Amino acid sequence: DELATSLAATGVDFTEAATTATNTIEELTFASPGYVPKYTVNPELGAVVWGLKAGGTSAVVESSNTYLIVHVDGVEMRELTDDQIAGIKGSGFSIWLDLYRSAARVAIDGAVVQEAGASPTP
């Protein structure tokens, strides 16, 4: 949390500060995935990414047993690469559908079997 706060401070060069932090904090890594199109990351992480404006830095986010701090350098529209298109074709529909599943309240014969935001009942 302290690192996320310091990285989000006004005037901080995120890349430089994150790189320096990786040299002082054990098991910390820094990655810059580049342009990330919608429907290529899970809905929870996507909500964080798409919720940030250019220059924005998130608080600590837990995703798939990993703690992340997300920084958005810029927001732009661009042509998708073949790999990005393949990724969207492979998992984009499931990612899109998960957004609706997570918000759904499901009832069978009037009995609620899943509240909005809950995991489906087996």
Short mmCIF file of all heavy atoms in Angstrom, two decimals, residues 37-105:
data_model
loop_
_atom_site.label_atom_id
_atom_site.label_comp_id
_atom_site.label_asym_id
_atom_site.label_seq_id
_atom_site.Cartn_x
_atom_site.Cartn_y
_atom_site.Cartn_z
N PRO A 37 -5.64 -4.19 -25.09
CA PRO A 37 -7.00 -3.99 -25.56
C PRO A 37 -8.03 -4.60 -24.60
O PRO A 37 -7.71 -5.52 -23.83
CB PRO A 37 -7.05 -4.70 -26.91
CG PRO A 37 -5.88 -5.59 -26.95
CD PRO A 37 -4.91 -5.13 -25.92
N LYS A 38 -9.24 -4.08 -24.66
CA LYS A 38 -10.32 -4.65 -23.84
C LYS A 38 -10.53 -6.11 -24.20
O LYS A 38 -10.23 -6.54 -25.31
CB LYS A 38 -11.61 -3.87 -24.05
CG LYS A 38 -11.63 -2.56 -23.30
CD LYS A 38 -13.02 -1.98 -23.28
CE LYS A 38 -13.02 -0.75 -22.39
NZ LYS A 38 -14.35 -0.21 -22.20
N TYR A 39 -11.09 -6.82 -23.24
CA TYR A 39 -11.42 -8.25 -23.38
C TYR A 39 -10.19 -9.14 -23.54
O TYR A 39 -10.27 -10.21 -24.10
CB TYR A 39 -12.43 -8.49 -24.52
CG TYR A 39 -13.65 -7.62 -24.37
CD1 TYR A 39 -13.99 -6.70 -25.34
CD2 TYR A 39 -14.44 -7.68 -23.22
CE1 TYR A 39 -15.10 -5.87 -25.19
CE2 TYR A 39 -15.54 -6.86 -23.06
CZ TYR A 39 -15.86 -5.96 -24.04
OH TYR A 39 -16.95 -5.14 -23.87
N THR A 40 -9.04 -8.66 -23.02
CA THR A 40 -7.85 -9.51 -23.01
C THR A 40 -7.37 -9.79 -21.59
O THR A 40 -6.42 -10.53 -21.41
CB THR A 40 -6.70 -8.90 -23.83
OG1 THR A 40 -6.38 -7.61 -23.30
CG2 THR A 40 -7.07 -8.77 -25.29
N VAL A 41 -7.99 -9.17 -20.60
CA VAL A 41 -7.66 -9.43 -19.20
C VAL A 41 -8.94 -9.75 -18.45
O VAL A 41 -10.03 -9.38 -18.88
CB VAL A 41 -6.93 -8.23 -18.53
CG1 VAL A 41 -5.59 -7.98 -19.18
CG2 VAL A 41 -7.78 -6.97 -18.57
N ASN A 42 -8.82 -10.44 -17.31
CA ASN A 42 -10.01 -10.85 -16.56
C ASN A 42 -10.82 -9.61 -16.13
O ASN A 42 -10.28 -8.51 -16.01
CB ASN A 42 -9.66 -11.75 -15.38
CG ASN A 42 -8.95 -11.02 -14.26
OD1 ASN A 42 -9.44 -10.02 -13.75
ND2 ASN A 42 -7.79 -11.52 -13.87
N PRO A 43 -12.13 -9.79 -15.91
CA PRO A 43 -13.00 -8.64 -15.62
C PRO A 43 -12.59 -7.82 -14.40
O PRO A 43 -12.70 -6.60 -14.42
CB PRO A 43 -14.37 -9.29 -15.39
CG PRO A 43 -14.33 -10.56 -16.14
CD PRO A 43 -12.89 -11.03 -16.05
N GLU A 44 -12.09 -8.47 -13.34
CA GLU A 44 -11.70 -7.72 -12.15
C GLU A 44 -10.53 -6.78 -12.46
O GLU A 44 -10.54 -5.62 -12.10
CB GLU A 44 -11.32 -8.66 -10.99
CG GLU A 44 -12.48 -9.48 -10.46
CD GLU A 44 -12.77 -10.72 -11.29
OE1 GLU A 44 -11.91 -11.17 -12.09
OE2 GLU A 44 -13.89 -11.25 -11.17
N LEU A 45 -9.51 -7.32 -13.14
CA LEU A 45 -8.36 -6.50 -13.51
C LEU A 45 -8.76 -5.48 -14.57
O LEU A 45 -8.34 -4.33 -14.53
CB LEU A 45 -7.21 -7.38 -14.00
CG LEU A 45 -5.93 -6.66 -14.38
CD1 LEU A 45 -5.41 -5.81 -13.22
CD2 LEU A 45 -4.88 -7.67 -14.82
N GLY A 46 -9.60 -5.90 -15.51
CA GLY A 46 -10.08 -4.99 -16.54
C GLY A 46 -10.80 -3.79 -15.96
O GLY A 46 -10.62 -2.67 -16.43
N ALA A 47 -11.60 -4.01 -14.92
CA ALA A 47 -12.31 -2.90 -14.28
C ALA A 47 -11.33 -1.88 -13.72
O ALA A 47 -11.58 -0.67 -13.77
CB ALA A 47 -13.23 -3.42 -13.18
N VAL A 48 -10.20 -2.36 -13.20
CA VAL A 48 -9.18 -1.45 -12.68
C VAL A 48 -8.52 -0.70 -13.83
O VAL A 48 -8.41 0.53 -13.82
CB VAL A 48 -8.11 -2.22 -11.86
CG1 VAL A 48 -6.95 -1.31 -11.47
CG2 VAL A 48 -8.74 -2.86 -10.64
N VAL A 49 -8.08 -1.45 -14.85
CA VAL A 49 -7.38 -0.85 -15.98
C VAL A 49 -8.26 0.19 -16.68
O VAL A 49 -7.86 1.33 -16.88
CB VAL A 49 -6.93 -1.92 -16.99
CG1 VAL A 49 -6.37 -1.29 -18.26
CG2 VAL A 49 -5.91 -2.86 -16.36
N TRP A 50 -9.50 -0.19 -17.03
CA TRP A 50 -10.36 0.72 -17.79
C TRP A 50 -10.91 1.83 -16.91
O TRP A 50 -11.43 2.82 -17.42
CB TRP A 50 -11.49 -0.04 -18.48
CG TRP A 50 -11.04 -1.30 -19.18
CD1 TRP A 50 -11.63 -2.52 -19.06
CD2 TRP A 50 -9.92 -1.50 -20.03
NE1 TRP A 50 -10.93 -3.45 -19.79
CE2 TRP A 50 -9.88 -2.85 -20.39
CE3 TRP A 50 -8.91 -0.66 -20.52
CZ2 TRP A 50 -8.89 -3.39 -21.23
CZ3 TRP A 50 -7.93 -1.21 -21.35
CH2 TRP A 50 -7.93 -2.54 -21.70
N GLY A 51 -10.79 1.69 -15.60
CA GLY A 51 -11.26 2.74 -14.70
C GLY A 51 -10.25 3.84 -14.47
O GLY A 51 -10.56 4.87 -13.87
N LEU A 52 -9.02 3.65 -14.95
CA LEU A 52 -7.97 4.65 -14.77
C LEU A 52 -7.88 5.56 -15.98
O LEU A 52 -8.08 5.12 -17.11
CB LEU A 52 -6.61 3.98 -14.56
CG LEU A 52 -6.44 3.19 -13.26
CD1 LEU A 52 -5.14 2.39 -13.30
CD2 LEU A 52 -6.44 4.13 -12.06
N LYS A 53 -7.57 6.81 -15.74
CA LYS A 53 -7.33 7.75 -16.83
C LYS A 53 -5.83 7.74 -17.15
O LYS A 53 -5.03 7.20 -16.39
CB LYS A 53 -7.77 9.15 -16.41
CG LYS A 53 -9.26 9.25 -16.19
CD LYS A 53 -9.66 10.64 -15.78
CE LYS A 53 -11.18 10.65 -15.58
NZ LYS A 53 -11.68 11.88 -15.12
N ALA A 54 -5.45 8.36 -18.24
CA ALA A 54 -4.05 8.47 -18.61
C ALA A 54 -3.26 9.09 -17.46
O ALA A 54 -3.66 10.11 -16.91
CB ALA A 54 -3.89 9.30 -19.87
N GLY A 55 -2.17 8.43 -17.07
CA GLY A 55 -1.35 8.90 -15.97
C GLY A 55 -1.80 8.39 -14.61
O GLY A 55 -1.15 8.64 -13.61
N GLY A 56 -2.91 7.65 -14.57
CA GLY A 56 -3.46 7.15 -13.31
C GLY A 56 -2.76 5.90 -12.81
O GLY A 56 -2.27 5.08 -13.58
N THR A 57 -2.71 5.77 -11.48
CA THR A 57 -2.10 4.62 -10.82
C THR A 57 -3.10 4.07 -9.81
O THR A 57 -3.68 4.82 -9.04
CB THR A 57 -0.80 5.01 -10.10
OG1 THR A 57 0.09 5.60 -11.06
CG2 THR A 57 -0.12 3.81 -9.47
N SER A 58 -3.27 2.76 -9.82
CA SER A 58 -4.24 2.12 -8.92
C SER A 58 -3.66 1.90 -7.54
O SER A 58 -2.45 2.00 -7.32
CB SER A 58 -4.66 0.76 -9.49
OG SER A 58 -3.62 -0.20 -9.33
N ALA A 59 -4.54 1.55 -6.62
CA ALA A 59 -4.12 1.02 -5.32
C ALA A 59 -3.69 -0.43 -5.59
O ALA A 59 -3.74 -0.91 -6.72
CB ALA A 59 -5.29 1.07 -4.34
N VAL A 60 -3.31 -1.15 -4.56
CA VAL A 60 -2.93 -2.55 -4.72
C VAL A 60 -4.17 -3.36 -5.08
O VAL A 60 -5.22 -3.23 -4.46
CB VAL A 60 -2.28 -3.09 -3.43
CG1 VAL A 60 -1.96 -4.57 -3.57
CG2 VAL A 60 -1.01 -2.31 -3.11
N VAL A 61 -4.02 -4.21 -6.10
CA VAL A 61 -5.12 -5.04 -6.60
C VAL A 61 -4.67 -6.49 -6.52
O VAL A 61 -3.55 -6.82 -6.92
CB VAL A 61 -5.43 -4.71 -8.08
CG1 VAL A 61 -6.52 -5.60 -8.62
CG2 VAL A 61 -5.78 -3.24 -8.24
N GLU A 62 -5.53 -7.37 -5.98
CA GLU A 62 -5.20 -8.79 -5.97
C GLU A 62 -5.86 -9.45 -7.17
O GLU A 62 -7.05 -9.29 -7.41
CB GLU A 62 -5.68 -9.47 -4.68
CG GLU A 62 -5.23 -10.91 -4.60
CD GLU A 62 -5.58 -11.59 -3.29
OE1 GLU A 62 -6.17 -10.94 -2.41
OE2 GLU A 62 -5.27 -12.78 -3.15
N SER A 63 -5.06 -10.18 -7.95
CA SER A 63 -5.57 -10.86 -9.14
C SER A 63 -4.81 -12.17 -9.30
O SER A 63 -3.59 -12.17 -9.45
CB SER A 63 -5.37 -9.99 -10.38
OG SER A 63 -5.80 -10.66 -11.54
N SER A 64 -5.55 -13.28 -9.27
CA SER A 64 -4.94 -14.61 -9.46
C SER A 64 -3.76 -14.84 -8.51
O SER A 64 -2.68 -15.21 -8.93
CB SER A 64 -4.50 -14.79 -10.91
OG SER A 64 -5.56 -14.62 -11.79
N ASN A 65 -3.97 -14.59 -7.23
CA ASN A 65 -2.95 -14.78 -6.19
C ASN A 65 -1.70 -13.95 -6.40
O ASN A 65 -0.61 -14.32 -5.97
CB ASN A 65 -2.59 -16.27 -6.07
CG ASN A 65 -3.77 -17.10 -5.66
OD1 ASN A 65 -4.58 -16.67 -4.85
ND2 ASN A 65 -3.89 -18.28 -6.23
N THR A 66 -1.85 -12.83 -7.09
CA THR A 66 -0.76 -11.89 -7.32
C THR A 66 -1.24 -10.51 -6.92
O THR A 66 -2.40 -10.16 -7.13
CB THR A 66 -0.37 -11.88 -8.81
OG1 THR A 66 0.01 -13.19 -9.21
CG2 THR A 66 0.77 -10.93 -9.09
N TYR A 67 -0.36 -9.73 -6.33
CA TYR A 67 -0.70 -8.35 -6.00
C TYR A 67 -0.13 -7.44 -7.08
O TYR A 67 1.04 -7.56 -7.44
CB TYR A 67 -0.13 -7.97 -4.63
CG TYR A 67 -0.77 -8.76 -3.52
CD1 TYR A 67 -0.12 -9.85 -2.96
CD2 TYR A 67 -2.02 -8.42 -3.04
CE1 TYR A 67 -0.72 -10.59 -1.95
CE2 TYR A 67 -2.63 -9.14 -2.03
CZ TYR A 67 -1.97 -10.23 -1.49
OH TYR A 67 -2.57 -10.96 -0.49
N LEU A 68 -0.97 -6.55 -7.60
CA LEU A 68 -0.58 -5.69 -8.70
C LEU A 68 -0.81 -4.23 -8.35
O LEU A 68 -1.73 -3.89 -7.60
CB LEU A 68 -1.42 -6.00 -9.95
CG LEU A 68 -1.46 -7.44 -10.43
CD1 LEU A 68 -2.55 -7.61 -11.48
CD2 LEU A 68 -0.12 -7.82 -11.01
N ILE A 69 0.00 -3.37 -8.95
CA ILE A 69 -0.25 -1.94 -8.97
C ILE A 69 -0.27 -1.58 -10.45
O ILE A 69 0.70 -1.82 -11.17
CB ILE A 69 0.86 -1.15 -8.23
CG1 ILE A 69 0.94 -1.58 -6.77
CG2 ILE A 69 0.60 0.35 -8.36
CD1 ILE A 69 2.15 -1.05 -6.03
N VAL A 70 -1.39 -1.08 -10.91
CA VAL A 70 -1.57 -0.80 -12.33
C VAL A 70 -1.37 0.69 -12.58
O VAL A 70 -1.92 1.53 -11.87
CB VAL A 70 -2.99 -1.23 -12.78
CG1 VAL A 70 -3.21 -0.88 -14.24
CG2 VAL A 70 -3.20 -2.71 -12.53
N HIS A 71 -0.60 0.98 -13.63
CA HIS A 71 -0.40 2.37 -14.04
C HIS A 71 -0.74 2.46 -15.53
O HIS A 71 -0.32 1.63 -16.32
CB HIS A 71 1.06 2.79 -13.83
CG HIS A 71 1.35 4.18 -14.30
ND1 HIS A 71 0.99 5.29 -13.56
CD2 HIS A 71 1.92 4.65 -15.42
CE1 HIS A 71 1.35 6.38 -14.22
NE2 HIS A 71 1.92 6.01 -15.35
N VAL A 72 -1.52 3.47 -15.90
CA VAL A 72 -1.89 3.68 -17.29
C VAL A 72 -1.14 4.90 -17.81
O VAL A 72 -1.36 6.01 -17.35
CB VAL A 72 -3.42 3.88 -17.43
CG1 VAL A 72 -3.78 4.25 -18.86
CG2 VAL A 72 -4.16 2.63 -17.00
N ASP A 73 -0.22 4.65 -18.75
CA ASP A 73 0.55 5.76 -19.34
C ASP A 73 -0.32 6.63 -20.22
O ASP A 73 -0.22 7.85 -20.20
CB ASP A 73 1.72 5.22 -20.17
CG ASP A 73 2.84 4.67 -19.31
OD1 ASP A 73 3.07 5.18 -18.21
OD2 ASP A 73 3.48 3.69 -19.75
N GLY A 74 -1.16 5.98 -21.03
CA GLY A 74 -1.99 6.72 -21.96
C GLY A 74 -3.17 5.88 -22.41
O GLY A 74 -3.18 4.67 -22.24
N VAL A 75 -4.15 6.56 -22.96
CA VAL A 75 -5.34 5.89 -23.48
C VAL A 75 -5.45 6.28 -24.95
O VAL A 75 -5.44 7.47 -25.28
CB VAL A 75 -6.62 6.33 -22.72
CG1 VAL A 75 -7.85 5.68 -23.31
CG2 VAL A 75 -6.48 6.01 -21.24
N GLU A 76 -5.52 5.26 -25.80
CA GLU A 76 -5.58 5.55 -27.23
C GLU A 76 -6.26 4.40 -27.98
O GLU A 76 -6.36 3.29 -27.45
CB GLU A 76 -4.19 5.77 -27.80
CG GLU A 76 -3.26 4.57 -27.62
CD GLU A 76 -1.83 4.84 -28.05
OE1 GLU A 76 -1.12 5.56 -27.32
OE2 GLU A 76 -1.44 4.34 -29.13
N MET A 77 -6.71 4.69 -29.17
CA MET A 77 -7.26 3.67 -30.06
C MET A 77 -6.17 3.35 -31.07
O MET A 77 -5.52 4.24 -31.58
CB MET A 77 -8.49 4.21 -30.79
CG MET A 77 -9.65 4.58 -29.87
SD MET A 77 -10.41 3.17 -29.09
CE MET A 77 -11.27 2.46 -30.46
N ARG A 78 -5.99 2.05 -31.32
CA ARG A 78 -5.02 1.66 -32.33
C ARG A 78 -5.41 0.33 -32.95
O ARG A 78 -6.24 -0.39 -32.40
CB ARG A 78 -3.60 1.63 -31.79
CG ARG A 78 -3.37 0.59 -30.70
CD ARG A 78 -1.92 0.33 -30.40
NE ARG A 78 -1.29 1.44 -29.71
CZ ARG A 78 -0.13 1.35 -29.11
NH1 ARG A 78 0.53 0.22 -29.09
NH2 ARG A 78 0.39 2.39 -28.50
N GLU A 79 -4.81 0.02 -34.04
CA GLU A 79 -5.04 -1.23 -34.75
C GLU A 79 -4.54 -2.39 -33.89
O GLU A 79 -3.47 -2.30 -33.29
CB GLU A 79 -4.27 -1.21 -36.08
CG GLU A 79 -4.63 -2.28 -37.04
CD GLU A 79 -5.84 -1.94 -37.89
OE1 GLU A 79 -6.20 -0.76 -38.00
OE2 GLU A 79 -6.42 -2.89 -38.43
N LEU A 80 -5.33 -3.45 -33.80
CA LEU A 80 -4.92 -4.62 -33.02
C LEU A 80 -3.92 -5.46 -33.79
O LEU A 80 -4.00 -5.57 -35.02
CB LEU A 80 -6.13 -5.49 -32.67
CG LEU A 80 -7.20 -4.85 -31.79
CD1 LEU A 80 -8.38 -5.80 -31.65
CD2 LEU A 80 -6.64 -4.50 -30.44
N THR A 81 -2.98 -6.07 -33.06
CA THR A 81 -2.03 -6.98 -33.69
C THR A 81 -2.71 -8.33 -33.89
O THR A 81 -3.77 -8.61 -33.32
CB THR A 81 -0.78 -7.19 -32.81
OG1 THR A 81 -1.19 -7.86 -31.60
CG2 THR A 81 -0.11 -5.86 -32.46
N ASP A 82 -2.09 -9.19 -34.69
CA ASP A 82 -2.65 -10.53 -34.90
C ASP A 82 -2.74 -11.30 -33.59
O ASP A 82 -3.71 -12.02 -33.36
CB ASP A 82 -1.80 -11.31 -35.91
CG ASP A 82 -1.93 -10.75 -37.34
OD1 ASP A 82 -2.92 -10.03 -37.61
OD2 ASP A 82 -1.04 -11.03 -38.17
N ASP A 83 -1.73 -11.17 -32.71
CA ASP A 83 -1.76 -11.85 -31.41
C ASP A 83 -2.90 -11.34 -30.54
O ASP A 83 -3.56 -12.12 -29.85
CB ASP A 83 -0.43 -11.68 -30.67
CG ASP A 83 0.70 -12.49 -31.27
OD1 ASP A 83 0.41 -13.45 -32.03
OD2 ASP A 83 1.87 -12.18 -30.97
N GLN A 84 -3.15 -10.05 -30.54
CA GLN A 84 -4.24 -9.48 -29.76
C GLN A 84 -5.59 -9.94 -30.30
O GLN A 84 -6.48 -10.28 -29.52
CB GLN A 84 -4.15 -7.95 -29.75
CG GLN A 84 -2.98 -7.43 -28.96
CD GLN A 84 -2.71 -5.96 -29.20
OE1 GLN A 84 -3.03 -5.41 -30.24
NE2 GLN A 84 -2.08 -5.31 -28.22
N ILE A 85 -5.73 -9.99 -31.60
CA ILE A 85 -6.98 -10.48 -32.20
C ILE A 85 -7.20 -11.94 -31.82
O ILE A 85 -8.31 -12.32 -31.44
CB ILE A 85 -6.95 -10.30 -33.74
CG1 ILE A 85 -7.00 -8.81 -34.09
CG2 ILE A 85 -8.10 -11.05 -34.40
CD1 ILE A 85 -6.74 -8.49 -35.55
N ALA A 86 -6.15 -12.74 -31.89
CA ALA A 86 -6.26 -14.16 -31.52
C ALA A 86 -6.64 -14.30 -30.05
O ALA A 86 -7.47 -15.15 -29.69
CB ALA A 86 -4.95 -14.88 -31.79
N GLY A 87 -6.07 -13.47 -29.18
CA GLY A 87 -6.41 -13.51 -27.75
C GLY A 87 -7.86 -13.15 -27.49
O GLY A 87 -8.54 -13.79 -26.69
N ILE A 88 -8.35 -12.15 -28.21
CA ILE A 88 -9.75 -11.75 -28.04
C ILE A 88 -10.68 -12.83 -28.58
O ILE A 88 -11.68 -13.16 -27.95
CB ILE A 88 -10.01 -10.39 -28.73
CG1 ILE A 88 -9.27 -9.28 -27.98
CG2 ILE A 88 -11.50 -10.08 -28.80
CD1 ILE A 88 -9.24 -7.95 -28.69
N LYS A 89 -10.33 -13.41 -29.71
CA LYS A 89 -11.14 -14.50 -30.26
C LYS A 89 -11.16 -15.70 -29.33
O LYS A 89 -12.17 -16.38 -29.19
CB LYS A 89 -10.62 -14.92 -31.64
CG LYS A 89 -10.97 -13.95 -32.73
CD LYS A 89 -10.45 -14.45 -34.08
CE LYS A 89 -10.85 -13.51 -35.20
NZ LYS A 89 -10.32 -13.97 -36.50
N GLY A 90 -10.03 -15.96 -28.66
CA GLY A 90 -9.92 -17.12 -27.79
C GLY A 90 -10.63 -16.97 -26.46
O GLY A 90 -11.22 -17.92 -25.94
N SER A 91 -10.61 -15.77 -25.89
CA SER A 91 -11.18 -15.62 -24.56
C SER A 91 -12.06 -14.38 -24.40
O SER A 91 -12.67 -14.20 -23.35
CB SER A 91 -10.06 -15.57 -23.52
OG SER A 91 -9.21 -14.45 -23.76
N GLY A 92 -12.14 -13.56 -25.40
CA GLY A 92 -12.89 -12.31 -25.30
C GLY A 92 -14.35 -12.48 -24.94
O GLY A 92 -14.89 -11.75 -24.11
N PHE A 93 -15.02 -13.47 -25.56
CA PHE A 93 -16.44 -13.67 -25.26
C PHE A 93 -16.64 -14.07 -23.81
O PHE A 93 -17.53 -13.54 -23.13
CB PHE A 93 -17.07 -14.72 -26.20
CG PHE A 93 -18.52 -14.96 -25.88
CD1 PHE A 93 -19.48 -14.03 -26.24
CD2 PHE A 93 -18.93 -16.10 -25.20
CE1 PHE A 93 -20.82 -14.23 -25.94
CE2 PHE A 93 -20.26 -16.31 -24.90
CZ PHE A 93 -21.22 -15.38 -25.27
N SER A 94 -15.81 -14.98 -23.31
CA SER A 94 -15.92 -15.41 -21.91
C SER A 94 -15.67 -14.26 -20.95
O SER A 94 -16.37 -14.11 -19.95
CB SER A 94 -14.94 -16.55 -21.62
OG SER A 94 -15.30 -17.69 -22.35
N ILE A 95 -14.68 -13.43 -21.25
CA ILE A 95 -14.38 -12.27 -20.42
C ILE A 95 -15.57 -11.30 -20.43
O ILE A 95 -16.00 -10.80 -19.40
CB ILE A 95 -13.08 -11.59 -20.87
CG1 ILE A 95 -11.89 -12.50 -20.56
CG2 ILE A 95 -12.92 -10.22 -20.21
CD1 ILE A 95 -10.58 -12.03 -21.16
N TRP A 96 -16.11 -11.04 -21.62
CA TRP A 96 -17.27 -10.15 -21.74
C TRP A 96 -18.46 -10.73 -20.98
O TRP A 96 -19.14 -10.03 -20.23
CB TRP A 96 -17.61 -9.98 -23.22
CG TRP A 96 -18.89 -9.26 -23.47
CD1 TRP A 96 -19.09 -7.92 -23.48
CD2 TRP A 96 -20.17 -9.86 -23.73
NE1 TRP A 96 -20.41 -7.63 -23.75
CE2 TRP A 96 -21.09 -8.82 -23.90
CE3 TRP A 96 -20.62 -11.17 -23.85
CZ2 TRP A 96 -22.43 -9.03 -24.18
CZ3 TRP A 96 -21.95 -11.40 -24.12
CH2 TRP A 96 -22.84 -10.33 -24.28
N LEU A 97 -18.72 -12.02 -21.14
CA LEU A 97 -19.86 -12.66 -20.49
C LEU A 97 -19.70 -12.66 -18.96
O LEU A 97 -20.67 -12.48 -18.23
CB LEU A 97 -20.03 -14.09 -21.00
CG LEU A 97 -21.27 -14.85 -20.51
CD1 LEU A 97 -22.55 -14.11 -20.89
CD2 LEU A 97 -21.27 -16.26 -21.08
N ASP A 98 -18.47 -12.82 -18.47
CA ASP A 98 -18.22 -12.82 -17.03
C ASP A 98 -18.65 -11.50 -16.38
O ASP A 98 -19.06 -11.47 -15.22
CB ASP A 98 -16.76 -13.10 -16.72
CG ASP A 98 -16.41 -14.57 -16.85
OD1 ASP A 98 -17.34 -15.40 -16.91
OD2 ASP A 98 -15.20 -14.88 -16.90
N LEU A 99 -18.55 -10.40 -17.13
CA LEU A 99 -19.01 -9.11 -16.60
C LEU A 99 -20.50 -9.16 -16.27
O LEU A 99 -20.95 -8.62 -15.27
CB LEU A 99 -18.75 -8.00 -17.63
CG LEU A 99 -17.29 -7.68 -17.91
CD1 LEU A 99 -17.19 -6.74 -19.12
CD2 LEU A 99 -16.63 -7.08 -16.69
N TYR A 100 -21.27 -9.83 -17.11
CA TYR A 100 -22.71 -9.95 -16.90
C TYR A 100 -23.03 -11.03 -15.87
O TYR A 100 -23.94 -10.86 -15.06
CB TYR A 100 -23.43 -10.21 -18.22
CG TYR A 100 -23.37 -9.00 -19.11
CD1 TYR A 100 -22.35 -8.84 -20.03
CD2 TYR A 100 -24.30 -7.97 -18.96
CE1 TYR A 100 -22.28 -7.71 -20.82
CE2 TYR A 100 -24.23 -6.84 -19.74
CZ TYR A 100 -23.21 -6.70 -20.67
OH TYR A 100 -23.13 -5.58 -21.43
N ARG A 101 -22.29 -12.12 -15.89
CA ARG A 101 -22.51 -13.18 -14.92
C ARG A 101 -22.29 -12.68 -13.49
O ARG A 101 -23.04 -13.01 -12.59
CB ARG A 101 -21.55 -14.35 -15.17
CG ARG A 101 -21.91 -15.21 -16.32
CD ARG A 101 -20.92 -16.37 -16.39
NE ARG A 101 -21.19 -17.19 -17.53
CZ ARG A 101 -20.27 -17.79 -18.25
NH1 ARG A 101 -19.00 -17.67 -17.93
NH2 ARG A 101 -20.59 -18.51 -19.29
N SER A 102 -21.24 -11.89 -13.31
CA SER A 102 -20.92 -11.42 -11.96
C SER A 102 -21.98 -10.46 -11.43
O SER A 102 -22.12 -10.31 -10.22
CB SER A 102 -19.54 -10.76 -11.93
OG SER A 102 -19.55 -9.59 -12.71
N ALA A 103 -22.74 -9.84 -12.32
CA ALA A 103 -23.78 -8.91 -11.88
C ALA A 103 -25.16 -9.56 -11.82
O ALA A 103 -26.13 -8.92 -11.41
CB ALA A 103 -23.83 -7.72 -12.84
N ALA A 104 -25.24 -10.83 -12.19
CA ALA A 104 -26.54 -11.50 -12.29
C ALA A 104 -27.01 -12.06 -10.96
O ALA A 104 -26.24 -12.62 -10.19
CB ALA A 104 -26.47 -12.63 -13.30
N ARG A 105 -28.30 -11.89 -10.70
CA ARG A 105 -28.96 -12.55 -9.58
C ARG A 105 -29.82 -13.64 -10.20
O ARG A 105 -30.66 -13.36 -11.06
CB ARG A 105 -29.83 -11.56 -8.82
CG ARG A 105 -30.55 -12.17 -7.64
CD ARG A 105 -31.24 -11.06 -6.85
NE ARG A 105 -31.83 -11.63 -5.67
CZ ARG A 105 -33.14 -11.70 -5.47
NH1 ARG A 105 -33.98 -11.23 -6.36
NH2 ARG A 105 -33.61 -12.25 -4.37
#
